[in-house]
Amino acid sequence: MRFLKKYKWILAFPVLALTSCNKADYLDIDAGDRTPLSAKVKFVNARLSYVAVNFWDFTRKVTPGLLQRNTASGYLDTQFGKVQYNLTEGSSASYKASYVFGGSANFIQETNTASFAGPNGPIADFAHSLFAVKKRLTSTLNPNNTDSLILVYDDLERPAAGKVKIRFANFSPDAPKIDFSYAAGTTIFSGVGYGNFGDQVVIPYTAGKAPAIVEGLTWKTLGPFKEVDAGTNLNFQIKNGTDQTVIPVSKNALSGITLEDGKIYTIFINGLRSGSPELSATIILHN
């Protein structure tokens, strides 16, 4: 879980200037005429298990129906600010993952005596994605938490003409650091470790504290997108970031794909290089 825990600290870091609406204008409107505020969250089931899941904010089930493995919901209205997101399997009420976002003045690392918490939760009127992924290590504090939750902000600003925006995440527990590239050879994202997104700004976390200022940090750099050319019959591949060995994915899922002009995508890998379910690649659309 080292990489995954590290990334959750990244997601929890306070970020300035994230509000997309003017508070004064909003409060000047009569209460009965105000549009209810909510965070917009796309829920993504990127776990190893084939059992379908539901997502919850606190005790309210948010997803309208069970979400199958390697699928995503649309953007759904959820609580903003301090939120406990939970994950359940099938009709079970037992949490397979449960994390508080926005629930602490400081970073709290998940240990055997404390659950993960951090100061930054989902923001009203912002778009986010919440990924459920496999934990590498279990906790004696929360032994039923077999999975982790990763929250990122989604930059839905349209790309330039003829371009798409993509981001890449590595959710395969036994994969090395990954390079994501065109099959022809040009690398798009490099050295992406487990639980991480390509080109994210990494926040150092030492002795219980993150630095007051992190160079290059904005909400867009937590799960960043990169613009590439739109096109059809595009071929991508993943490589071992150390020795550049090509790593195959199930059903050649990164070959012959279409990226439509103006669209925004997340591409992630999960599954296992050695074991079941086998390593696979999934593409989800954000707009």
Side-chain angles (χ1 to χ4, degrees), residues 48 134-136 170-175 194 270-272:
L48 292 190
K134 174 65 177 176
K135 286 179 68 169
R136 275 185 165 170
N170 177 1
F171 299 143
S172 173
D174 67 349
Y194 178 62
N270 64 347
L272 301 171

Side-chain angles (χ1 to χ4, degrees), residues 162-226:
K163 300 287 187 177
V164 301
K165 291 201 301 192
I166 63 172
R167 67 181 171 197
F168 174 75
N170 177 1
F171 299 143
S172 173
D174 67 349
K177 289 187 176 182
I178 293 293
D179 288 358
F180 178 80
S181 64
Y182 289 101
T186 304
T187 298
I188 303 171
F189 298 105
S190 61
V192 185
Y194 178 62
N196 295 320
F197 290 78
D199 288 353
Q200 69 188 33
V201 172
V202 176
I203 297 174
Y205 182 75
T206 306
K209 293 183 179 179
I213 297 174
V214 179
E215 192 68 29
L217 179 67
T218 74
W219 65 274
K220 293 183 180 181
T221 62
L222 297 178
F225 292 92
K226 180 177 288 187

Side-chain angles (χ1 to χ4, degrees), residues 2 12 52 71 89 101 122 131 147 171 207 215 223 261 276:
R2 181 170 178 266
T71 63
E89 289 185 334
F101 295 90
F131 295 84
D147 300 295
F171 299 143
E215 192 68 29
D261 183 8
S276 180

